[in-house]
């Protein structure tokens, strides 16, 4: 099979776009160069996405020579936002890997509010509602005279709505549909193929993008997943689903590999977990503002070894008896 016929997952393309923007915006430090190389080597799809980006001329002369780049230059006067618009045009006109975006990566790059990996931020919206962005999240705010709309392009948000004197509906738009808040407090996370909703207070009406008439109201203490065509049956809200709001990861006999996958969201770089760790489990509450400390705690309390190839690249394996 030709490499050009391989479909690259949307989340991988988002990651390569983020790297391209970073390369354009700043000279990479030696550690960042190593992290980029580690990311490319972690998965063959990462390397394929990078090569396709090169073929589209989306990398730049400032990438260090030892990364093996032959790239197009850019005007020295082109700022980050202007570059992002050019990148948006390229991604729109020349799809990578046959992907048709529900939300293109450039929309996240140009979003009104963004958080980096490991960053969280809370803001008060113009109507008095509270909006909290989790790690690696991008949101547009589109309030007008008839509605209060948030567009979630990437990541996860917590919302506590305020009463509106104009009685405008409060809506959240994801790639798979719209959520209508019914005087409520809730969490939304954008995944590649579906959206997650967890309702903490009151209720939220879910309207799938391709079939909004098949809407369903999700009540307090319930969670669900939905795609553009339908909604899963709601289930009780999991304890860990909203723990990030309080800055923690909560694990109750969670497989180590699953825990590490969750931790990766809060840490720049690469963490790999060897298959030998399949029978190791994690329990406890962990502060997510220091992922490396969590790794050190795990190494002391679980039967694992962590090999630090660089500051940003950790390899986890089971400790030999």
């Amino acid at each position: 099979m030709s490499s050009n016929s391989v479909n690259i997952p949307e989340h991988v393309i988002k990651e390569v776009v983020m790297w391209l923007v970073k390369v354009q915006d700043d000279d990479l430090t030696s550690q960042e160069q190593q992290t980029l190389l580690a990311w490319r080597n972690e998965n063959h799809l990462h390397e394929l996405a990078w090569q396709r980006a090169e073929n589209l001329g989306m990398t730049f002369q400032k990438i260090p020579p030892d990364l093996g780049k032959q790239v197009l230059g850019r005007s020295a006067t082109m700022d980050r936002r202007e570059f992002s618009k050019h990148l948006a045009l390229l991604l729109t006109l020349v799809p990578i890997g046959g992907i048709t975006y529900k939300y293109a990566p450039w929309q996240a790059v140009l979003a009104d509010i963004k958080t980096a990996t490991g960053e969280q931020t809370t803001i008060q919206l113009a109507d008095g509602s509270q909006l909290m962005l989790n790690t690696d999240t991008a949101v547009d705010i589109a309030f007008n005279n008839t509605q209060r709309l948030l567009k979630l392009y990437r990541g996860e948000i917590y919302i506590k709505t305020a009463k509106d004197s104009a009685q405008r509906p409060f809506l959240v738009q994801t790639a798979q549909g719209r959520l209508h808040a019914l005087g409520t407090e809730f969490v939304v996370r954008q995944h590649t193929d579906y959206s997650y909703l967890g309702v903490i207070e009151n209720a939220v009406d879910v309207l799938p993008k391709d079939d909004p008439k098949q809407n369903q109201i999700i009540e307090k203490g319930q969670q669900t997943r939905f795609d553009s065509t339908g909604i899963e049956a709601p289930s009780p809200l999991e304890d860990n689903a909203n723990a990030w709001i309080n800055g923690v990861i909560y694990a109750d006999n969670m497989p180590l590999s699953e825990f590490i996958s969750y931790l990766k969201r809060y840490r720049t770089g690469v963490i790999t977990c060897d298959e030998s760790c399949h029978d190791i489990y994690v329990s406890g509450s962990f502060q997510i503002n220091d992922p490396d400390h969590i790794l050190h705690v795990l190494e002391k309390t679980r039967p694992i070894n962590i090999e630090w190839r660089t500051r940003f690249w950790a390899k986890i394996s089971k400790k030999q008896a």
Side-chain angles (χ1 to χ4, degrees):
M1 178 184 294
S2 168
S3 63
N4 289 329
S5 64
V6 176
N7 284 347
I8 298 176
E10 185 173 347
H11 74 275
V12 174
I13 298 178
K14 289 178 180 178
E15 290 175 12
V16 79
V17 169
M18 294 306 107
W19 271 114
L20 291 168
V21 172
K22 183 172 182 58
V23 167
Q24 186 271 343
D25 209 34
D26 299 293
D27 289 323
L28 295 183
T29 66
S30 60
Q31 288 182 328
E32 288 171 334
Q33 293 174 34
Q34 291 176 336
T35 303
L36 174 55
L37 283 171
W39 178 84
R40 290 174 57 189
N41 291 329
E42 183 184 25
N43 187 301
H44 75 282
L45 291 175
H46 293 181
E47 177 63 19
L48 182 58
W50 186 266
Q51 291 176 4
R52 288 185 181 174
E54 280 191 297
N55 291 337
L56 291 176
M58 292 192 295
T59 50
F60 303 94
Q61 290 176 342
K62 63 163 62 178
I63 298 177
D66 60 338
L67 294 183
K69 299 288 144 300
Q70 292 183 346
V71 296
L72 297 177
R74 66 176 179 92
S75 167
T77 61
M78 184 184 294
D79 63 17
R80 178 190 179 109
R81 193 171 185 87
E82 186 179 356
F83 161 73
S84 299
K85 291 178 180 178
H86 282 263
L87 182 58
L89 181 61
L90 279 172
L91 287 172
T92 302
L93 297 179
V94 190
I96 300 178
I99 292 289
T100 301
Y101 288 107
K102 300 177 181 71
Y103 283 140
W106 58 268
Q107 291 176 297
V109 172
L110 299 178
D112 294 331
I113 311 172
K114 299 183 290 292
T115 53
T117 299
E119 180 185 9
Q120 294 179 326
T121 190
T122 301
I123 66 169
Q124 186 175 52
L125 300 175
D127 67 336
S129 296
Q130 181 182 350
L131 171 65
M132 182 175 183
L133 280 68
N134 199 4
T135 176
D136 191 26
T137 295
V139 180
D140 266 343
I141 302 172
F143 282 24
N144 58 31
N145 293 333
T146 61
Q147 65 181 12
R148 298 172 290 168
L149 174 64
L150 300 179
K151 297 179 181 180
L152 177 61
Y153 297 124
R154 183 181 71 240
E156 187 171 25
I157 55 176
Y158 160 81
I159 301 162
K160 185 175 183 179
T161 60
K163 291 184 178 180
D164 184 49
S165 58
Q167 297 185 328
R168 296 169 297 172
F170 195 108
L171 307 170
V172 177
Q173 180 176 308
T174 74
Q176 288 78 29
R178 280 198 174 190
L179 305 170
H180 181 191
L182 304 176
T184 189
E185 186 177 346
F186 60 106
V187 169
V188 186
R189 182 177 174 189
Q190 178 68 73
H191 292 263
T192 302
D193 300 318
Y194 66 91
S195 296
Y196 165 85
L197 167 67
V199 181
I200 302 170
E201 292 291 342
N202 296 317
V204 176
D205 193 8
V206 182
L207 298 87
K209 180 179 178 181
D210 295 340
D211 196 0
K213 292 183 179 180
Q214 297 298 321
N215 66 302
Q216 183 175 353
I217 294 177
I218 308 302
E219 304 286 351
K220 173 183 176 180
Q222 293 183 329
Q223 63 181 20
T224 190
R225 303 194 310 181
F226 65 95
D227 60 21
S228 61
T229 61
I231 307 165
E232 287 189 1
S235 59
L237 190 62
E238 295 178 358
D239 292 337
N240 193 44
N242 309 317
W244 66 269
I245 299 171
N246 298 314
V248 300
I249 301 174
Y250 174 72
D252 183 10
N253 207 34
M254 183 184 294
L256 177 64
S257 58
E258 182 179 338
F259 182 85
I260 293 301
S261 293
Y262 194 92
L263 186 64
K264 284 180 181 180
R265 297 176 57 201
Y266 297 90
R267 184 182 184 278
T268 300
V270 176
I271 313 175
T272 61
C273 192
D274 192 86
E275 292 182 0
S276 63
C277 299
H278 72 277
D279 58 350
I280 299 175
Y281 297 85
V282 178
S283 294
S285 295
F286 304 85
Q287 296 292 322
I288 57 179
N289 61 352
D290 192 350
D292 284 355
H293 176 70
I294 295 176
L295 291 174
H296 289 305
V297 169
L298 291 176
E299 190 172 26
K300 291 180 179 179
T301 59
R302 310 308 300 154
I304 62 172
N305 288 316
I306 301 180
E307 176 188 353
W308 294 89
R309 297 186 174 182
T310 72
R311 176 186 169 191
F312 297 100
W313 190 358
K315 180 181 179 181
I316 302 173
S317 59
K318 188 173 183 178
K319 186 176 294 184
Q320 298 299 316

